[in-house]
Amino acid sequence: NYGTDAGNCITVGLDTQTAFYQPKEFYTGQNIQILTNDRLNVHVANFLLPLIKNTLSIFSWGGNGATLTRLRRSKILLPVTDDGTPDFAFMESYVRSLEEKILRRYLERVSIPNAAQVPTLGEKVWREFCIGDLFDSIQRGKRLKTADHLTGKKPYVSSSAQNNGVDNFVGNSENVRTFEDCLTIANSGSVGKSFYHPYEFVASDHVTSLASEKLNRWHYLFIAAQLNKLGEQYSFNREINDVRIRREKILLPATDDGKPDFDFMEAFAKNKFAEILRRVLDRFSD
């Protein structure tokens, strides 16, 4: 049986012993338990989730699953107020302070050029470039059936259009293909959807890895935005096979001699990244 929930809650998978914060309305089935509280928000949830996941780790698939009764009886340690009730205000403040520190650390690491020195997208000359010419390595992932997934912490990237394409975490190390510091492009499903992955991950056969030693994270992020436009040319039933990927062309800003302007891509991506971080940081001071 499936139904809708309003969001702003924590879901617990009784079968999988997993827990996630759900900010928006969603559909759920009978094996998902929903935890709500009037004081819950994304910051409080991020405080609670590691504690809940640690508690869930004592359960297993084989006869000791996280049933509703067992879940209700489980306990976690929390900071409390003087009257002994959970101190939700402290939890929120603590997580917000950690998030702000992390964001500021990222902002400090980005060397931002003067905005006036970076042309706008409209001021640049754009040219078409073959994907096969942009990347040194183009390799499809390998099929890994759901039944063969082992519990682990390595991201499993498939053709999902959400969460950077990550739709599970696995522990498989044999008969899989792993990649790192590259783009993926969905060759089926959400065809054309592209994401940058600075971390090591296992790739399904529904995505293709695109990598080049001459590209850095800023180039990848810029190019990913252009690759995403390829989805307009395909459908769920029309895959981008390896031959098509290599022959496909995307528009990129070019230098005066007609080559991809990687310096501009990097400067533009850094500025955009810093702009987003500053906007988020402004919310902490509101």
Side-chain angles (χ1 to χ4, degrees):
N1 295 327
Y2 289 84
T4 59
D5 189 272
N8 188 34
C9 63
I10 292 174
T11 54
V12 175
L14 297 183
D15 291 336
T16 58
Q17 291 85 55
T18 54
F20 300 96
Y21 174 68
Q22 307 294 344
K24 299 180 180 180
E25 183 180 8
F26 62 96
Y27 284 90
T28 186
Q30 62 183 4
N31 290 328
I32 301 295
Q33 291 303 313
I34 300 170
L35 310 182
T36 60
N37 187 292
D38 291 341
R39 300 294 302 276
L40 189 69
N41 57 38
V42 62
H43 306 292
V44 173
N46 284 333
F47 189 100
L48 295 174
L49 280 171
L51 303 175
I52 295 173
K53 290 177 180 179
N54 185 58
T55 297
L56 291 173
S57 66
I58 68 174
F59 300 111
S60 66
W61 287 81
N64 189 33
T67 64
L68 180 57
T69 300
R70 289 170 178 164
L71 189 64
R72 289 183 181 278
R73 291 176 179 173
S74 298
K75 296 181 179 181
I76 57 176
L77 283 173
L78 292 176
V80 296
T81 60
D82 293 339
D83 61 3
T85 58
D87 194 341
F88 292 107
F90 169 80
M91 297 181 214
E92 179 173 357
S93 175
Y94 180 80
V95 172
R96 286 174 68 95
S97 66
L98 284 181
E99 291 174 346
E100 183 176 5
K101 288 179 182 177
I102 293 171
L103 289 172
R104 290 191 183 281
R105 193 179 307 139
Y106 270 113
L107 193 57
E108 291 169 359
R109 291 178 181 176
V110 182
S111 177
I112 307 300
N114 188 313
Q117 298 175 354
V118 181
T120 65
L121 295 177
E123 292 173 330
K124 290 295 298 180
V125 174
W126 293 66
R127 291 174 54 109
E128 284 188 329
F129 296 94
C130 276
I131 292 177
D133 295 332
L134 292 170
F135 299 97
D136 303 324
S137 173
I138 299 176
Q139 186 177 19
R140 196 181 186 110
K142 189 172 182 179
R143 186 182 183 192
L144 181 63
K145 295 185 293 185
T146 302
D148 295 332
H149 286 198
L150 301 178
T151 301
K153 297 182 179 180
K154 191 171 295 184
Y156 177 72
V157 176
S158 192
S159 58
S160 171
Q162 307 296 323
N163 301 320
N164 240 43
V166 177
D167 68 2
N168 198 3
F169 289 86
V170 299
N172 301 70
S173 58
E174 298 182 358
N175 298 317
V176 295
R177 286 183 183 153
T178 60
F179 302 95
E180 184 178 6
D181 191 29
C182 65
L183 295 180
T184 55
I185 184 169
N187 47 53
S188 63
S190 301
V191 181
K193 197 66 179 178
S194 180
F195 296 103
Y196 169 59
H197 308 274
Y199 43 80
E200 186 178 19
F201 65 96
V202 174
S204 80
D205 60 330
H206 295 299
V207 296
T208 297
S209 165
L210 308 173
S212 173
E213 292 185 356
K214 65 177 177 286
L215 301 179
N216 61 35
R217 64 176 298 183
W218 308 109
H219 303 142
Y220 280 130
L221 289 169
F222 191 102
I223 293 172
Q226 296 304 105
L227 286 172
N228 279 320
K229 298 178 181 179
L230 289 178
E232 300 171 3
Q233 306 174 31
Y234 292 85
S235 65
F236 187 87
N237 294 321
R238 182 175 181 240
E239 294 189 358
I240 308 180
N241 58 37
D242 292 348
V243 174
R244 285 175 180 161
I245 287 177
R246 292 180 180 277
R247 292 177 177 175
E248 280 288 359
K249 295 181 180 181
I250 58 173
L251 282 171
L252 291 175
T255 60
D256 292 339
D257 58 0
K259 297 179 180 178
D261 194 340
F262 293 115
D263 289 341
F264 168 78
M265 294 183 218
E266 179 171 350
F268 183 88
K270 283 182 175 181
N271 271 356
K272 183 61 65 174
F273 183 75
E275 176 187 322
I276 294 171
L277 283 183
R278 291 190 182 106
R279 192 159 59 239
V280 174
L281 284 169
D282 286 342
R283 297 176 185 172
F284 285 95
S285 59
D286 290 342

